[in-house]
Amino acid sequence: MTSPFFFVFLFSSLLIGNVDANPNYKEALSKSLLFFQGQRSGPLPRGQQLSWRASSGLSDGSAAHVDLTGGYYDAGDNVKFNFPMAFTTTMLSWSALEYGKRMGPELENARVNIRWATDYLLKCARATPGKLYVGVGDPNVDHKCWERPEDMDTPRTVYSVSPSNPGSDVAAETAAALAAASMVFRKVDSKYSRLLLATAKNVMQFAIQYRGAYSDSLSSSVCPFYCSYSGYKDELMWGASWLLRATNDPYYANFIKSLGGGDQPDIFSWDNKYAGAYVLLSRRALLNKDSNFEQYKQAAENFICKILPDSPSSSTQYTQGGLMYKLPQSNLQYVTSITFLLTTYAKYMKSTKHTFNCGNSVIVPNALISLSKRQVDYILGDNPIKMSYMVGFGSNFPKRIHHRASSLPSHALHSHSLGCNGGFQSFYTQNPNPNILTGAIVGGPNQNDGYPDQRDDYSHAEPATYINAAFVGPLAYFAAGRSA
């Protein structure tokens, strides 16, 4: 019997006309990783390919008498927010672990990107005993300026959490990033891998011992930008799940059990990690046949049933062109993250010949792969307005992205500082950005599949590290020739 999902995808492909069904996934994979070079903070290396960027944030940490140089700017601004940066690192690491064998030469580029983040996160975790640094740069002041990172003259305020001002969410996410990365480097740099894992254990212990949300401790310095809206229990589960995978220590399995069941979300993002934890833990139920993790496999499948369009419990909207539509602000972050989970769970299903039910419908792995492919292809230009939402990919892509460094003259061409307000002349122009931030995926179209390509429309026009990080896995899957 033909799966009902076949007709859904057949119909949605007919809706958007006769277009090339297979974009160049290898090119997209390469560019999705190149993008991170445009987000680098700190002293740039000789091999920097996006040459319109230069070194920046070279005194970061000095306000607290520590070295916090490096890491990534989160999106189109010049702030280092560790909560989304750590999630970005975890997702890049998961991509390398799950899809590394399919990435070819891009695996080394992924490792470089991961290490750029983990070198910084290690500094944040190790610089001061009893303290975890969680960000650099005053976001409220930064967002009032439109200036290149190389020119920054806004306060590089340093933010931290401690036993008296806890941040279980950001600490557990940092632990997840370091633990996941420790496995990426295990065979290629065992000394670095051991340092990552030892630090991950310490940071996770801090998250467990001193409970509290970092947004309660840091308030307007992180809210509304990266408030921990979902609380910190999801990060505790997620962080412990990564430590369990990295160590196989039953301590973490028992801790996860002690947390009890989590929420039943229909979303996965830098804020809400439950669905990611369920898929990660379900790996043990499916691949290791460990019945202790059966409840997480069930939770992962309940999540997927809320995503699939024809499922009786679906709570996910789709645009007429076939794109998942979750929230108006930066919707593609949810699309890429959820697509990663769909592709990964399908991979586990295929390797164990597993199926499950959504109501009376039997779900086979290819139902998940078909939906993943539809999302990937849509982002790469197979959509009603034939717009690639990856900058520099295809002939029609966003030209006026909400990104300071991309929109302002390169430091190499204009070495004089533009100051806090000098850049607004470029911000308000209709001219395309002078510097192409190759590989950047923007927030994406609206619910009507429209995209105005306006620089001031940050909900749709701003790229972010976590949009790209989650997209690497699915791109690697399809680049290796896997499809439904």
Side-chain angles (χ1 to χ4, degrees):
M1 181 177 156
T2 306
S3 161
F5 296 109
F6 174 79
F7 295 107
V8 171
F9 298 114
L10 181 64
F11 178 63
S12 62
S13 65
L14 289 171
L15 274 174
I16 53 169
N18 183 22
V19 292
D20 179 9
N22 284 317
N24 186 333
Y25 300 117
K26 284 186 178 174
E27 179 193 344
L29 173 62
S30 180
K31 288 180 173 177
S32 73
L33 291 164
L34 180 60
F35 154 75
F36 286 90
Q37 292 194 14
Q39 300 303 112
R40 284 173 169 170
S41 181
L44 299 189
R46 280 185 180 172
Q48 172 79 11
Q49 288 173 267
L50 297 183
S51 56
W52 47 269
R53 277 295 324 280
S55 298
S56 63
L58 298 179
S59 62
D60 280 3
S62 61
H65 309 291
V66 288
D67 172 14
L68 298 179
T69 54
Y72 293 112
Y73 303 118
D74 67 302
D77 56 19
N78 302 325
V79 184
K80 297 192 304 205
F81 292 100
N82 288 25
F83 194 33
M85 195 198 304
F87 176 69
T88 293
T89 311
T90 310
M91 292 308 295
L92 277 175
S93 298
W94 198 0
S95 300
L97 291 169
E98 209 66 66
Y99 301 96
K101 290 176 181 170
R102 304 172 189 209
M103 290 173 75
E106 296 305 330
L107 177 58
E108 181 52 33
N109 292 327
R111 284 196 199 109
V112 168
N113 288 347
I114 292 163
R115 188 160 188 156
W116 193 271
T118 52
D119 281 353
Y120 165 77
L121 293 173
L122 283 170
K123 292 177 185 179
C124 291
R126 300 175 67 85
T128 307
K131 197 176 268 193
L132 174 68
Y133 294 100
V134 299
V136 184
D138 184 328
N140 294 290
V141 179
D142 179 273
H143 288 187
K144 288 174 184 166
C145 298
W146 195 260
E147 61 184 341
R148 302 175 296 197
E150 295 83 3
D151 290 343
M152 271 188 297
D153 51 8
T154 50
R156 300 303 286 170
T157 314
V158 173
Y159 302 99
S160 63
V161 292
S162 63
S164 55
N165 288 291
S168 299
D169 31 32
V170 67
E173 183 60 69
T174 302
L178 296 172
S182 77
M183 290 182 279
V184 173
F185 290 101
R186 194 171 277 168
K187 289 179 179 171
V188 290
D189 190 338
S190 58
K191 185 180 176 186
Y192 189 63
S193 172
R194 287 193 298 273
L195 176 64
L196 290 168
L197 187 56
T199 310
K201 289 177 183 176
N202 290 340
V203 176
M204 191 66 209
Q205 210 47 50
F206 172 86
I208 292 169
Q209 196 169 340
Y210 305 105
R211 304 279 176 102
Y214 94 131
S215 31
D216 291 341
S217 297
L218 293 170
S219 60
S220 64
S221 304
V222 295
C223 294
F225 317 102
Y226 293 103
C227 247
S228 184
Y229 296 105
S230 67
Y232 57 79
K233 185 178 162 185
D234 56 317
E235 277 83 24
L236 289 176
M237 183 183 284
W238 172 245
S241 301
W242 277 108
L243 264 303
L244 178 62
R245 183 160 170 188
T247 65
N248 278 321
D249 186 338
Y251 168 80
Y252 296 109
N254 292 332
F255 175 72
I256 293 164
K257 199 173 179 184
S258 77
L259 289 171
D263 291 354
Q264 293 292 320
D266 64 355
I267 208 156
F268 176 49
S269 70
W270 58 261
D271 178 37
N272 193 321
K273 316 291 163 49
Y274 280 119
Y278 298 152
V279 169
L280 185 60
L281 292 170
S282 70
R283 188 177 187 273
R284 300 181 89 87
L286 284 168
L287 273 59
N288 304 351
K289 307 273 189 285
D290 188 338
S291 60
N292 292 313
F293 294 90
E294 188 66 30
Q295 74 179 92
Y296 305 106
K297 177 170 78 74
Q298 190 57 56
E301 291 169 1
N302 289 345
F303 165 75
I304 293 165
C305 289
K306 291 182 178 185
I307 303 301
L308 293 170
D310 234 19
S311 159
S313 55
S314 181
S315 56
T316 304
Q317 278 184 290
Y318 288 82
T319 67
Q320 207 169 353
L323 180 72
M324 257 178 233
Y325 194 81
K326 284 292 179 185
L327 288 167
Q329 191 156 325
S330 189
N331 179 59
L332 288 188
Q333 66 173 302
Y334 309 110
V335 179
T336 61
S337 294
I338 291 169
T339 298
F340 181 100
L341 295 186
L342 291 174
T343 313
T344 303
Y345 201 78
K347 190 167 159 274
Y348 300 162
M349 289 172 73
K350 283 189 175 197
S351 67
T352 56
K353 296 185 167 54
H354 176 67
T355 61
F356 65 92
N357 280 52
C358 291
N360 293 326
S361 301
V362 178
I363 309 303
V364 297
N366 280 355
L368 278 58
I369 296 298
S370 297
L371 180 53
S372 295
K373 187 174 185 298
R374 182 74 210 91
Q375 303 311 300
V376 171
D377 291 357
Y378 184 110
I379 290 170
L380 296 180
D382 185 359
N383 57 56
I385 61 170
K386 310 293 187 286
M387 167 72 80
S388 160
Y389 291 102
M390 177 182 281
V391 174
F393 183 86
S395 56
N396 185 27
F397 55 83
K399 304 293 198 299
R400 289 176 284 275
I401 65 172
H402 183 94
H403 190 277
R404 286 159 175 77
S406 168
S407 71
L408 293 165
S410 158
H411 201 265
L413 296 176
H414 192 291
S415 58
H416 297 298
S417 173
L418 297 168
C420 171
N421 296 314
F424 281 108
Q425 192 176 342
S426 296
F427 178 76
Y428 290 116
T429 177
Q430 286 298 304
N431 294 337
N433 287 9
N435 310 308
I436 295 178
L437 184 56
T438 304
I441 302 166
V442 295
N446 59 32
Q447 62 194 37
N448 300 314
D449 299 298
Y451 183 77
D453 199 11
Q454 295 293 336
R455 197 174 289 110
D456 60 355
D457 180 17
Y458 62 86
S459 292
H460 300 106
E462 188 168 16
T465 54
Y466 40 88
I467 305 179
N468 271 59
F471 205 46
V472 170
L475 284 175
Y477 183 89
F478 294 114
R482 269 67 176 185
S483 62

